[in-house]
Amino acid sequence: MKRRSVLSLAVFLWLALPSLALASTTEGGEEEFNPEHDFEVGEWIPIHLGPLDLSINKAVAYLILGTICTIALGVFLMRARIGAKNEVGRRQAVGEIVYEVAQTQVAEQGLPHKAIGRWFPYVASLMLFIWVINLLGFIPLPLSNETFDLFGVELPTLAIYAATSSISVTLALALMTFFFTHYEGIRANGVIKYFKSWIPDVPKAMYPLIVPLEILGQFMRLISLSVRLYANMLAGHMLILTFIGLVFVTGHLVLAPLTVGAAAAFYLFEVVIVVSIQAYIFAALSAIYIGTAIEPDH
Amino acid sequence: MFNLIAQEASSNVDAGKAIALALGIGLGSLGAGIGIGNIFGSMIQAVARQPELKGELTGIQWLGFALTEAVVFYGLIGGLLAYVLV
């Protein structure tokens, strides 16, 4: 019991630290409060291949960390051995919950029966990966462009930043779904039948109006899929930062309990609801898009 | 004199931008608020009538919630783009 209270105190201090770091950088007064600076990725290890910019920056660092965490989580939860007396351990129970959500809520909602075996791994790993990188975005980590002095040592400040609050990351994920959708549609139906299935049953006279709209609609999916995740995470972080920053903008410390309380409420809302919902939505919509491409009649 | 007029104009433009952004996002949230209220209201009604369908409906409910909620963010991104570009 005592160990647990010490642990929770440590977690609380860890979560309270970034506001202190923020306070220490703005204490000088000459620095203006700009929450959008937190979303600049910077350039840590420059890698340029001709016109291609493959530099390691903040978002890439978060993505690498997220990948490692996803793999670790998968191995930790799914590779657990069944206990000696066929009992289900706690690890395995959690793993089964994750698997069941991915199976019944995501894959079976959108994918036709024959395609589940083929596309379940994709949508399940998409769900788990986005969930992990969204959640990593709300844990203060020493990965940021700014530094502060601690006993003469330059340390990066603790900051919250999600890789998914960069449009490039979400667009890459959405492009993957976009590519797989059309690949799978053409593979299952053939080129002509697949592209014909885009056009709904309307009189021939309506075709000049409907065909461009349907083609545009396919590309709008790409935009809506990527912008939904990106804007949700960006707005969530911006909201928290703005509420904490309100103290420094107005300069009244009296407001601190109110604004930090509001920021904590939004933080909880984001962590408990938005993170999971967005991961679920992205995976479920990917499954639905791939499913409708395979069986256009449904 | 001209300098003063120019200064005033630029501050007017800034004020106009701020009002437009706030108004745009506010009106966008209005629509999404109505939509989200509709979804949860319908969900409550549906579960009250047929509680055994709750499991099936929950997935659809969250899907609809996220699709509706995203409309605000399209407005937000459009507003921010207009704010930065104009």
Side-chain angles (χ1 to χ4, degrees), chain A residues 25-84:
Chain A
T25 51
T26 42
E27 221 162 24
E30 72 277 351
E31 208 173 337
E32 221 175 307
F33 174 72
N34 276 323
E36 64 265 26
H37 285 333
D38 273 44
F39 299 99
E40 286 164 5
V41 289
E43 195 175 87
W44 293 356
I45 305 168
I47 304 167
H48 293 279
L49 290 179
L52 264 176
D53 186 4
L54 298 173
S55 313
I56 306 283
N57 54 32
K58 189 156 74 169
V60 177
Y62 265 92
L63 278 179
I64 293 169
L65 190 64
T67 315
I68 294 167
C69 287
T70 313
I71 294 169
L73 196 69
V75 170
F76 181 73
L77 291 179
M78 310 292 177
R79 292 269 162 181
R81 279 184 57 198
I82 295 171

Side-chain angles (χ1 to χ4, degrees), chain A residues 139-157:
Chain A
I139 300 167
L141 293 172
L143 290 169
S144 76
N145 295 321
E146 284 159 26
T147 53
F148 74 104
D149 248 1
L150 186 72
F151 309 122
V153 187
E154 288 271 305
L155 289 171
T157 53

